[in-house]
Amino acid sequence: MTYEEARDKIIFALDVHGLADIDRWAAQLAGHVGMFKVGKELFTSCGPEAVRTVQRHGGKVFLDLKYHDIPNTVAKAMVEAARLGVQLANLHALGGEEMMATAAAAVRTEFGDERPRLLAVTILTSSTAETLRQVGIERPVEEMVVRLARLAKDSGMDGVVASPLEIESIRAACGPDFLIVTPGVRPSFASLDDQKRVMTPAEAVTAGADYLVIGRPIAKAGDPVAASRMIVDEIAGGCP
């Protein structure tokens, strides 16, 4: 794998608080990561301008808002996400087939091939079997992840967000062209923080991940650009 191919697999999590922070990180990392993730906290604080600030630096955006509502509401929200020109946008697979299918159809009808790729969140990487039991789900985490991934594919989603530990099961169930975006990835020099189901970047890509969401191992490094390069080198060196 080339350095550029490895770099493009990294999505930097913009877990920051304002437009000045976005501007600083996007300027610093735009040439060193493939994409920037804009999540709930940042979007609630800054709104669509968060996306535009990244784009002004030439950065691509994964809009990580995990929509989960009635089908019509989620469909309209996903269309608005597409209007922002983001590359990836997501919803919760637990919202069900009708919700996902309605959203997928609305975005495809409005934008055709010039659209973001649509992802469904399966089970959060902070969740365990006990977390699922607490909300009445008795099935094992891996079984639920694969079940939701199949449902997402059947509903017209382009891929899923899932723990790296479920990549191989999802690949077997959904095929080689189904996108898999994996948080819960930690290089050897970083702590686990609050992620429970983790893997190194090279391990995740070798297992079949298309994109890796990485935040704190880069953001907390003394030299974030150097940390980014270390991760890219690890991926490029550890993957064919």
Side-chain angles (χ1 to χ4, degrees):
M1 180 178 295
T2 68
Y3 185 92
E4 290 73 20
E5 289 170 337
R7 178 199 61 201
D8 289 346
K9 290 185 176 296
I10 298 176
I11 301 175
F12 177 64
L14 274 171
D15 296 328
V16 299
H17 302 291
L19 294 176
D21 288 333
I22 301 171
D23 194 67
R24 177 170 61 88
W25 282 110
Q28 187 174 14
L29 294 177
H32 303 284
V33 300
M35 209 175 298
F36 294 83
K37 180 177 78 70
V38 173
K40 288 186 178 71
E41 179 181 358
L42 190 55
F43 198 81
T44 301
S45 172
C46 302
E49 191 60 25
V51 174
R52 297 187 188 108
T53 301
V54 172
Q55 291 169 336
R56 278 196 288 272
H57 290 279
K60 298 177 180 180
V61 176
F62 167 25
L63 189 60
D64 179 31
L65 300 183
K66 301 181 181 74
Y67 299 120
H68 188 169
D69 210 312
I70 63 173
N72 189 54
T73 296
V74 171
K76 289 181 177 179
M78 290 293 264
V79 167
E80 292 304 319
R83 288 200 175 107
L84 290 175
V86 302
Q87 278 65 46
L88 300 173
N90 64 2
L91 45 68
H92 263 294
L94 285 167
E97 182 177 10
E98 182 183 358
M99 187 194 80
M100 290 190 283
T102 302
V107 172
R108 284 182 168 86
T109 298
E110 186 80 14
F111 298 95
D113 292 336
E114 301 299 319
R115 62 175 179 84
R117 293 305 179 255
L118 308 179
L119 306 173
V121 176
T122 54
I123 300 297
L124 298 174
T125 56
S126 60
S127 296
T128 63
E130 178 58 26
T131 308
L132 297 187
R133 281 194 293 270
Q134 289 171 354
V135 295
I137 298 174
E138 300 295 335
R139 297 178 183 274
V141 169
E142 182 173 322
E143 182 180 332
M144 281 302 302
V145 168
V146 174
R147 179 173 181 160
L148 291 170
R150 282 199 189 101
L151 184 64
K153 182 179 181 181
D154 291 344
S155 302
M157 293 289 106
D158 297 295
V160 291
V161 181
S163 157
L165 301 188
E166 283 89 48
I167 293 170
E168 292 184 5
S169 298
I170 293 170
R171 277 276 169 259
C174 299
D177 298 326
F178 195 61
L179 291 178
I180 301 176
V181 177
T182 61
V185 174
R186 289 290 183 272
S188 58
F189 59 82
S191 64
L192 294 181
D193 295 306
D194 59 354
Q195 302 288 356
K196 302 295 195 305
R197 306 197 314 281
V198 300
M199 191 177 281
T200 69
E203 288 171 341
V205 173
T206 299
D210 294 289
Y211 297 102
L212 314 175
V213 179
I214 303 175
R216 283 168 283 200
I218 296 174
K220 289 185 175 181
D223 185 339
V225 170
S228 301
R229 288 173 175 163
M230 287 172 63
I231 296 169
V232 174
D233 285 339
E234 179 184 337
I235 295 169
C239 303

